[in-house]
Amino acid sequence: MYKGETAVNTSMRQSQFDILNRLYEMKCKQIEHALQQGKSLRSQVLEAEAQAISNAIKSVR
């Protein structure tokens, strides 16, 4: 692996992290909204999605 490739990989990982982090934040807002509306099943589904995003964030780090 050459220096430029390492920089590209680092940049791609940062981009992936940024995107996943934004998705996670949006998902958390959706969970709050669902809970406020009393939609328990919807919030459970959203929580599972948030967990999957969280796991993806951990794998990118």
Side-chain angles (χ1 to χ4, degrees):
M1 189 179 316
Y2 62 94
K3 231 178 177 181
E5 187 176 354
T6 301
V8 169
N9 285 340
T10 301
S11 177
M12 286 177 54
R13 289 175 72 107
Q14 183 62 45
S15 293
Q16 289 175 336
F17 175 82
D18 292 343
I19 291 167
L20 289 168
N21 197 46
R22 283 194 300 268
L23 285 172
Y24 183 78
E25 289 172 359
M26 288 189 299
K27 196 60 63 179
C28 288
K29 289 179 184 177
Q30 289 177 327
I31 292 167
E32 288 177 32
H33 190 256
L35 288 171
Q36 288 173 353
Q37 291 183 331
K39 296 184 177 180
S40 175
L41 182 58
R42 173 123 174 98
S43 68
Q44 289 176 13
V45 170
L46 292 168
E47 287 172 5
E49 292 173 353
Q51 184 61 49
I53 296 167
S54 177
N55 292 341
I57 289 170
K58 290 174 188 170
S59 73
V60 170
R61 287 187 193 164

